[in-house]
Amino acid sequence: MRGLFFLTGLLFFALAQPIPNTPPPDLSPQVFEIAKTLRCPVCQGESAAESNAGIAVEMRRIIAEQLAQGKSEAEIRRFFVERYGDWILYEPPARGLTLWVWLSPLLGLGLLVYGLWRYQARIRAQAQRLAAEVPEEEIARLEAELKRSANGD
């Protein structure tokens, strides 16, 4: 009986595997290639090609219609940008606000490097100041002690 439940569970697991992401026969693969470059407006982190939301299905239908009208990929993308803004593109152009989004990691890295350099300079200056405060007699005594311990005394 236990084995039957196990085999039934394996069968359900095998049937629950995702269906390969192949385009339906009524839409050309080019529709999905264009839809991959566009965001689904209602889904988080999914392209219009991956999503099954109603608006994504409608976007794919519009793409297919525009391809049938002879429009290019750039014209179709421009159509969606006019309606949704640059946000709809998975790789928005680097201009205006999106330029700051693209450059902010570099700016952050530069600030981090500058902060580490300043920290190291301050530590180095503090170490030199402390080393200058050690009397010459103390340094001579420590050097003599090191020589004695090196000789095995």
Side-chain angles (χ1 to χ4, degrees):
M1 187 69 170
R2 209 171 182 183
L4 181 62
F5 284 127
F6 179 72
L7 289 175
T8 306
L10 281 177
L11 178 65
F12 283 127
F13 179 74
L15 293 175
Q17 294 302 312
I19 298 170
N21 194 6
T22 57
D26 59 337
L27 294 176
S28 72
Q30 189 180 12
V31 170
F32 280 84
E33 287 303 313
I34 296 170
K36 283 180 187 177
T37 65
L38 301 172
R39 262 181 230 286
C40 173
V42 296
C43 306
Q44 280 192 335
E46 283 190 321
S47 70
E50 299 167 334
S51 174
N52 288 324
I55 195 162
V57 172
E58 182 66 16
M59 287 173 73
R60 292 191 298 262
R61 186 191 61 75
I62 291 170
I63 293 169
E65 285 177 2
Q66 290 190 2
L67 283 172
Q69 294 171 2
K71 292 191 178 177
S72 69
E73 288 185 31
E75 291 173 319
I76 295 170
R77 282 194 200 96
R78 198 173 318 116
F79 170 83
F80 285 103
V81 168
E82 288 172 1
R83 276 143 189 81
Y84 295 99
D86 285 337
W87 172 86
I88 198 74
L89 300 173
Y90 251 109
E91 293 183 16
R95 65 172 189 260
L97 181 62
T98 56
L99 181 62
W100 284 106
V101 172
W102 286 99
L103 293 179
S104 62
L106 294 175
L107 182 64
L109 184 62
L111 288 173
L112 177 68
V113 167
Y114 176 74
L116 288 173
W117 177 73
R118 292 294 302 152
Y119 175 74
Q120 287 291 336
R122 191 174 66 225
I123 296 295
R124 202 174 307 116
Q126 184 179 11
Q128 288 174 351
R129 189 179 68 242
L130 289 175
E133 292 176 2
V134 176
E136 289 294 323
E137 301 85 36
E138 184 70 18
I139 293 174
R141 186 186 66 77
L142 288 172
E143 286 177 349
E145 194 172 313
L146 282 172
K147 284 181 185 175
R148 270 197 313 261
S149 64
N151 291 337
D153 288 341

